[in-house]
């Protein structure tokens, strides 16, 4: 029998303890806040670990790291970025292409904390109504940004990029940025479940394409263990990715191979029957 969404993970907490049901959530928050702290250590303490912002930075003042989307926008405008920017983009693309599908969204992006909070509050308040938007819309927005940048000669996304804006806000103060973060929070809370990350964000769309064939994957250990409590669907920001590996036909893979999975591990956390685990795309045991 399906559990009530607001009680997702309660059975697991009772059976296996608080740490088990929150361990990947804890490590994700530690990762996100640690990266933010590395950006802030320079402005606040004079120790520059990451200099710059989420659009482009230098690690230890040496290793360049560049947002693939802003680099693609620059190339679309006909402007060739400097060598460091291109190297930084190549490093990021290579890491995420190998590491895991949309790991940036689940483990790095500071806006994920905002959208996760909205999703948690939706469950606790019992808000179930949601407007219907195609999850493919984000890929259309990504294409429009690149085409728009090419035709206008401007980096269109950087005018409203909420990820970079949130990162800058921690250094310079929220000010005008506050309204954008509030709008995204309320959009997710009241209008569309997982609305921003799951339907609109072009950064996530870019990382989804980059990590489509990446190594790290969530895997269903054994389908027969599933008791259909629906807790994994209730907490997953991309619940559609679970259907095939969890309830698919015998010849369908037990691996979550969808490019939309953010590798957050919440399905692993809340499953009382321990149906899921992290593995690699080459693990075909049990199939």
């Amino acid at each position: 029998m399906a559990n009530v969404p607001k009680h997702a993970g309660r059975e697991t907490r009772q059976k296996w303890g608080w740490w088990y049901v929150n361990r990947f959530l804890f490590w994700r928050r530690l990762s996100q806040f640690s990266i933010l702290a590395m950006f802030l250590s320079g402005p606040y303490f004079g120790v520059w670990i990451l200099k710059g912002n989420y659009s482009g930075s230098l690690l230890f003042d040496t290793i360049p790291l560049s947002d693939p989307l802003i680099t693609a926008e620059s190339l679309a405008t006909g402007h060739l970025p400097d060598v460091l920017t291109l190297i930084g983009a190549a490093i990021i693309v290579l890491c995420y292409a190998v590491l895991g599908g949309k790991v940036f969204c689940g483990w790095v992006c500071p806006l994920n904390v905002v959208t996760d909070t909205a999703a948690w509050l939706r469950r606790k308040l019992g808000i179930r109504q949601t407007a219907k938007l195609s999850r493919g819309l984000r890929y259309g927005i990504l294409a429009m940004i690149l085409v728009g940048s090419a035709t206008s000669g401007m980096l269109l996304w950087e005018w409203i990029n909420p990820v970079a804006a949130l990162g800058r806000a921690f250094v310079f103060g929220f000010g005008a940025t506050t309204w954008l973060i509030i709008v995204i929070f309320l959009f997710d809370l009241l209008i569309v479940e997982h609305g921003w990350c799951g339907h609109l964000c072009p950064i996530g769309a870019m990382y989804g394409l980059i990590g489509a064939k990446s190594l790290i994957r969530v895997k269903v250990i054994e389908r027969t263990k599933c008791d259909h409590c629906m807790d994994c669907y209730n907490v997953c920001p991309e619940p559609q990715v679970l259907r095939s590996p969890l309830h698919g036909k015998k010849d369908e893979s037990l691996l979550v191979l969808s490019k939309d999975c953010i590798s957050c591990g919440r399905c692993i956390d809340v499953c009382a029957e321990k149906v899921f685990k992290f593995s690699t795309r080459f693990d075909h045991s049990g199939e």
Side-chain angles (χ1 to χ4, degrees), residues 3-6 119 122-132 189-194 230 233-235:
N3 293 334
V4 178
K6 68 178 180 180
R122 277 184 69 94
R123 292 196 300 273
K124 294 305 178 183
L125 295 176
I127 301 174
R128 301 306 298 162
Q129 67 271 21
T130 179
K132 299 298 182 183
L189 176 63
L190 302 174
I191 300 176
V192 182
E193 187 174 17
H194 306 298
M230 299 299 289
Y233 285 95
N234 289 328
V235 300

Side-chain angles (χ1 to χ4, degrees), residues 154-209:
M154 297 186 295
L155 305 179
L156 295 182
W157 176 240
E158 299 317 302
W159 288 82
I160 58 169
N161 183 348
V163 176
L166 183 57
R168 290 192 297 269
F170 283 105
V171 178
F172 302 109
F174 281 82
T177 302
T178 305
W179 72 267
L180 181 58
I181 306 305
I182 291 174
V183 166
I184 290 174
F185 175 79
L186 293 177
F187 180 72
D188 274 31
L189 176 63
L190 302 174
I191 300 176
V192 182
E193 187 174 17
H194 306 298
W196 176 256
C197 296
H199 300 81
L200 300 179
C201 181
I203 299 176
M206 174 66 81
Y207 279 106
L209 295 174

